[in-house]
């Protein structure tokens, strides 16, 4: 199995409440990792996670109301520090791009709200899509319950009835031809939607 050389977080963001921030700080220290908190101006905080070998990750949090938002762009080599950031990113529903770098290739993971949406393999020869998220059950149910198409069909039927009534009330050939063109267009659209 290939040995991971590093992990890069590119323009990644995550959010947490003050309570979640305190919970995270309580669990951040392990036998491999320690943390320190710097309070900056304007309600900002910087949490520095440090691995015993000296590698550090700086997490800058801006307070927006009762939520703390972290924007993260960093490269991590140490596996313990990498694991801590990965857990933080998934637990607090991070969004962004994570590059897992191996010898000769990079696996690019695109996250949205803590879930993987796409995985690509990038090599010097090009890029290959490995995985792409399909609709979740909730999204499928929302699409299934959506009646937008049925509403549009009903609207087209009302329009056809109106055009037919209009056609029955006119005598001039030019008006009939114009109404027939409109009817053809509307019925074609209706046929497409009903199919």
């Amino acid at each position: 199995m290939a040995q991971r050389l590093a992990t890069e977080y590119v323009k990644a963001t995550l959010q947490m409440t003050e309570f979640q921030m305190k919970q995270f700080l309580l669990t951040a220290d392990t036998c491999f990792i320690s943390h320190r908190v710097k309070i900056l101006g304007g309600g900002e905080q910087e949490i520095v996670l440090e691995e015993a070998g000296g590698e550090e990750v700086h997490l800058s949090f801006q307070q927006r109301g009762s939520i703390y938002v972290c924007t993260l762009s960093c490269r991590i080599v140490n596996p313990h520090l990498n694991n801590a950031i990965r857990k933080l990113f998934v637990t607090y529903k991070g969004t962004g791009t994570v590059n897992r770098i191996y010898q000769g290739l990079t696996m690019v993971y695109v996250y949205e709200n803590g879930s993987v949406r796409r995985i690509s393999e990038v090599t010097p020869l090009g890029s290959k899509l490995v995985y792409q998220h399909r609709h979740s059950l909730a999204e499928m149910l929302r699409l299934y319950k959506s009646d937008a198409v049925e509403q549009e069909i009903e609207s087209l039927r009302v329009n056809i009835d109106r055009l037919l009534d209009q056609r029955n009330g006119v005598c001039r050939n030019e008006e009939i031809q114009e109404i027939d063109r409109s009817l053809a267009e509307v019925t074609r659209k209706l046929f497409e939607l009903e199919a």
Side-chain angles (χ1 to χ4, degrees):
M1 181 168 199
Q3 176 77 24
R4 187 181 316 167
L5 303 176
T7 302
E8 288 180 330
Y9 289 82
V10 183
K11 295 181 185 174
T13 60
L14 55 98
Q15 300 179 11
M16 59 177 70
T17 64
E18 189 170 349
F19 175 76
Q20 290 171 326
M21 174 94 70
K22 289 177 182 175
Q23 290 297 109
F24 166 66
L25 292 175
L26 288 174
T27 60
D29 287 336
T30 66
C31 57
F32 301 107
I33 298 170
S34 61
H35 80 276
R36 61 184 185 274
V37 178
K38 297 178 183 178
I39 307 297
L40 309 172
E44 293 182 35
Q45 293 186 29
E46 183 176 81
I47 299 174
V48 180
L49 298 179
E50 184 177 7
E51 189 272 327
E55 185 177 7
E56 295 181 346
V57 173
H58 296 256
L59 305 169
S60 295
F61 287 89
Q62 290 185 332
Q63 188 173 4
R64 296 183 186 151
S66 62
I67 302 292
Y68 288 90
V69 179
C70 175
T71 303
L72 178 64
S73 290
C74 64
R75 182 180 178 108
I76 305 167
V77 176
N78 182 276
H80 299 293
L81 195 53
N82 180 40
N83 195 38
I85 297 297
R86 182 189 57 77
K87 284 180 184 176
L88 175 73
F89 192 71
V90 172
T91 302
Y92 298 106
K93 309 218 180 300
T95 296
T97 303
V98 178
N99 297 326
R100 293 185 170 98
I101 302 167
Y102 299 90
Q103 184 70 42
L105 70 101
T106 299
M107 298 300 292
V108 179
Y109 289 70
V110 177
Y111 283 84
E112 189 175 299
N113 295 320
S115 297
V116 176
R117 296 297 178 162
R118 187 173 60 242
I119 302 172
S120 301
E121 178 183 303
V122 179
T123 65
L125 301 175
S127 178
K128 176 174 78 173
L129 183 65
V130 175
Y131 167 80
Q132 181 144 5
H133 170 76
R134 301 288 181 224
H135 295 294
S136 68
L137 181 59
E139 291 168 332
M140 295 292 283
L141 285 173
R142 183 182 51 76
L143 288 172
Y144 178 74
K145 290 180 179 181
S146 173
D147 63 348
V149 173
E150 288 82 1
Q151 289 176 1
E152 189 173 355
I153 288 171
E154 184 58 33
S155 172
L156 290 172
R157 286 183 177 157
V158 167
N159 195 14
I160 289 171
D161 288 344
R162 183 186 56 78
L163 287 169
L164 288 172
D165 289 342
Q166 197 176 21
R167 188 179 194 281
N168 288 335
V170 296
C171 297
R172 291 185 23 215
N173 215 12
E174 299 84 29
E175 291 176 331
I176 291 174
Q177 288 176 352
E178 183 62 35
I179 292 171
D180 285 347
R181 278 192 288 275
S182 296
L183 275 169
E185 187 178 312
V186 173
T187 54
R188 182 188 52 77
K189 179 78 171 162
L190 180 65
F191 180 75
E192 289 173 0
L193 289 174
E194 287 183 334

